[in-house]
Amino acid sequence: MTASLTSVLADPGRLAAVRRTNLLDTPNEEAFDRLVRLAARVLGAPMAMVSLIDEDRQFLKACHGLPESWASTRQTPLSHSLCQHLLVTGGALVINDSRLDPLTVGNGFVTEVGAIAYLGVPLLTWSGHVLGSFCVSDRRPRIWTADDISILTELAGLVMTEVEMRTDLRAHKPFEPRLEPPANGEPPSDRDLEQRLADIEAGFQSLLERVPAVVYTITPEAPNPFTYISPQIEALVGVPASECIGRTDFWEQYIHPYDAEWVAAECARTNQTGEPFTGEYRMRTRSGEVRWVRDEAVLVRDSAGRPLFWQGILTDVTATRLTAARLAEALEREQDAAEHLAAALERERAAAEHLRAVDEMKTTFLQAVSHDLRTPLTTVLGIALTLERGAGGLPAADAADLLHRLSGNARKLDRLLSDLLDLDRLARGTLTPRLQIVDVGDLVRRMVAEAGVGRDHPVIVHAPAVRIAVDAPKVERIVENLVVNAARHTAAGTTIWVRVHQEFDGVVLMVEDEGVGVPEHLREQIFQPFRRGRNVAANAPGSGIGLALVAQFANLHGGRAWVEEREGGGASFRVFLPDTRVDDVQGEPAEAAGW
């Protein structure tokens, strides 16, 4: 009969049948690899290593989590002073923080691997010789407990069981167990060997029961019933280990339905390919509780490569999952809070920007209105005083000129106050149009004559009769503001054109000039309150209200106002007024519009 640590892990009861005869002649490196991974997993250490030593060299036989230079199986010089310490002392080496331990100064393993915490035990033969070491290490400080040392020592014993039953490392020939010869010089008996193997079996069983995970083996053929499972299965799902052995429906019954399909598919795939199985899924306990487990299994093969069984470890990772979920929720809450804070800051920034704009608008308004109020008031007061002091002695022509200027400035004041009042009513939504059918052409001709710009600018008016339903006073203000705006923004002597063009569904009013025009990026801004062009004459600054009222009066009619570039240069301000025919329109019935 042949036996190895592989079969022992599958069925500890078979350990008692191992004898000195028919042993394999090479170490089972797969078993070393599995023990190294088990040590790292059970002790929670990211790095683990089994090293076998001869008189001159260190043979690295199995590593987990180490750099490539340390994971190689080639011979390397014995520069690992921690291993040397284990060889000399023959006892465990415990280092909780290598930065505080003088033994680790200049040590290659510590500096190259970055190990901070280190725990190592010697690999002892039955006769007490040290053939190597079994160590685990961490890249952060930690306190190694007595249980940690005990578990690593028992795993080291399993390694040496494998080594001593299979190989003489020095002679590379089948190895005879190195039992201390009895006092009478007799060779060890079968009973001695059986007792030793029984002790090993008991130690292994104790190790399995102390490992904080479920160790199991299942057949390589579906439906993969258990051939062995450690007692920790009862703590995991509430089912005794005795009830699990041989069951073919265990996975179907206890894997959560949400994960059953993909776990079954992955098991079928790895059964076919022989690749290791690794996954995290949910299991339901007998009481209905949901647990998360991490399942890691490898397919164990015999020396001929035939699959023997799957061996795996189930670890309860519910707490880790819950912690990760709580962390994700906390991060999500923090992200939401950050987004809310960013939104609040954006609102605050927008509010501050709005307040700044309002403050600038207020300043502009006060400057413009105060100038527009002061200038005509000063003129009115001056003319009034002149007339009061010399009313009887002024020539008739001079008196008429003064009265004309007096009435003109009075109209400016009236226009400004009307603009301000209308702008306020529009902002509060209390201004509504009073529609009546009027002749827009006649209205335009009359307002151009009353605007008083003809002395400085030639004004060409083309305004045929067009009768539609509009609010006449509002249209008068539109025409007046457009004509005055054109005169204010162009040099004296340049021509202003005023046109009325009938459309199918309304009328377009156009006021064009020979000025510099309006840049494209300002063509919307100039219709906002207190926005003014760049080429305003110094003696006629204006209030920046006129064009805003033009746009809002057009909107009040359901139309719109805009500005284009005039063909030949200059600006072309346009206002479209729809023909709103309603039943309660005042005045005469509307006539059919003509072209």
Side-chain angles (χ1 to χ4, degrees), residues 299-327:
L299 183 60
V300 179
R301 302 176 184 273
D302 61 16
S303 58
R306 293 183 297 268
L308 293 176
F309 50 84
W310 283 94
Q311 182 172 69
I313 299 177
L314 281 175
T315 308
D316 188 343
V317 294
T318 305
T320 303
R321 279 278 184 163
L322 291 176
T323 301
R326 285 194 292 268
L327 179 60

Side-chain angles (χ1 to χ4, degrees), residues 366-380 413 416:
L366 291 175
Q367 291 174 347
V369 172
S370 62
H371 183 281
D372 276 13
L373 286 172
R374 188 180 299 111
T375 300
L377 278 175
T378 301
T379 303
V380 167
L413 286 172
L416 177 59

Side-chain angles (χ1 to χ4, degrees), residues 358-440:
V358 169
D359 186 65
E360 289 181 358
M361 185 181 296
K362 179 193 70 175
T363 302
T364 304
F365 167 76
L366 291 175
Q367 291 174 347
V369 172
S370 62
H371 183 281
D372 276 13
L373 286 172
R374 188 180 299 111
T375 300
L377 278 175
T378 301
T379 303
V380 167
L381 288 173
I383 294 173
L385 289 173
T386 300
L387 292 173
E388 182 182 13
R389 292 171 183 172
L394 288 175
D398 291 343
D401 180 65
L402 288 174
L403 289 172
H404 176 75
R405 290 168 58 193
L406 180 64
S407 63
N409 281 279
R411 282 195 299 270
K412 288 182 181 179
L413 286 172
D414 180 68
R415 184 167 57 241
L416 177 59
L417 291 174
S418 296
D419 285 350
L420 291 173
L421 290 173
D422 286 341
L423 194 63
D424 178 65
R425 286 194 289 265
L426 284 166
R428 290 186 286 112
T430 61
L431 192 64
T432 57
R434 299 181 61 187
L435 302 178
Q436 60 182 357
I437 296 176
V438 298
D439 184 343
V440 177

Side-chain angles (χ1 to χ4, degrees), residues 121-421:
V121 297
L123 298 178
L124 297 173
T125 66
W126 293 355
S127 58
H129 297 104
V130 180
L131 289 187
S133 65
F134 197 158
C135 68
V136 291
S137 55
D138 204 332
R139 294 186 176 90
R140 58 184 180 179
R142 62 178 291 175
I143 304 298
W144 301 104
T145 66
D147 271 351
D148 294 337
I149 300 172
S150 176
I151 289 173
L152 190 61
T153 301
E154 292 186 35
L155 289 172
L158 293 175
V159 171
M160 288 311 299
T161 298
E162 181 77 10
V163 171
E164 293 209 358
M165 288 194 303
R166 295 175 177 279
T167 303
D168 184 340
L169 292 177
R170 300 183 181 221
H172 297 283
K173 61 183 180 181
F175 179 75
E176 292 292 333
R178 298 175 181 166
L179 292 175
E180 289 292 338
N184 58 8
E186 294 291 332
S189 64
D190 288 349
R191 184 173 181 179
D192 294 331
L193 291 176
E194 289 177 359
Q195 181 59 46
R196 174 58 177 165
L197 293 175
D199 293 341
I200 293 174
E201 178 182 356
F204 182 71
Q205 282 284 72
S206 174
L207 175 63
L208 288 182
E209 293 176 0
R210 292 168 56 197
V211 170
V214 178
V215 180
Y216 68 87
T217 58
I218 58 176
T219 64
E221 299 84 14
N224 309 106
F226 285 112
T227 55
Y228 171 77
I229 192 164
S230 61
Q232 286 84 342
I233 188 64
E234 185 169 3
L236 181 63
V237 296
V239 182
S242 59
E243 295 184 16
C244 300
I245 303 299
R247 287 185 60 171
T248 59
D249 64 340
F250 178 85
W251 302 109
E252 296 178 1
Q253 183 172 351
Y254 291 102
I255 291 183
H256 197 283
Y258 290 167
D259 297 323
E261 184 175 351
W262 78 260
V263 172
E266 185 66 7
C267 286
R269 186 188 69 82
T270 53
N271 271 336
Q272 184 176 4
T273 64
E275 298 176 11
F277 176 95
T278 301
E280 291 188 6
Y281 52 84
R282 284 160 289 189
M283 296 187 72
R284 296 180 303 181
T285 67
R286 175 168 281 180
S287 62
E289 183 183 355
V290 176
R291 299 271 183 88
W292 277 95
V293 299
R294 179 173 179 81
D295 191 350
E296 296 178 278
V298 295
L299 183 60
V300 179
R301 302 176 184 273
D302 61 16
S303 58
R306 293 183 297 268
L308 293 176
F309 50 84
W310 283 94
Q311 182 172 69
I313 299 177
L314 281 175
T315 308
D316 188 343
V317 294
T318 305
T320 303
R321 279 278 184 163
L322 291 176
T323 301
R326 285 194 292 268
L327 179 60
E329 291 176 359
L331 290 175
E332 185 175 357
R333 287 194 299 270
E334 289 183 5
Q335 184 177 0
D336 290 343
E339 291 176 356
H340 289 316
L341 178 60
L345 291 175
E346 179 61 23
R347 289 193 297 271
E348 184 177 347
R349 186 200 63 77
E353 182 67 20
H354 176 70
L355 289 175
R356 185 189 63 80
V358 169
D359 186 65
E360 289 181 358
M361 185 181 296
K362 179 193 70 175
T363 302
T364 304
F365 167 76
L366 291 175
Q367 291 174 347
V369 172
S370 62
H371 183 281
D372 276 13
L373 286 172
R374 188 180 299 111
T375 300
L377 278 175
T378 301
T379 303
V380 167
L381 288 173
I383 294 173
L385 289 173
T386 300
L387 292 173
E388 182 182 13
R389 292 171 183 172
L394 288 175
D398 291 343
D401 180 65
L402 288 174
L403 289 172
H404 176 75
R405 290 168 58 193
L406 180 64
S407 63
N409 281 279
R411 282 195 299 270
K412 288 182 181 179
L413 286 172
D414 180 68
R415 184 167 57 241
L416 177 59
L417 291 174
S418 296
D419 285 350
L420 291 173
L421 290 173

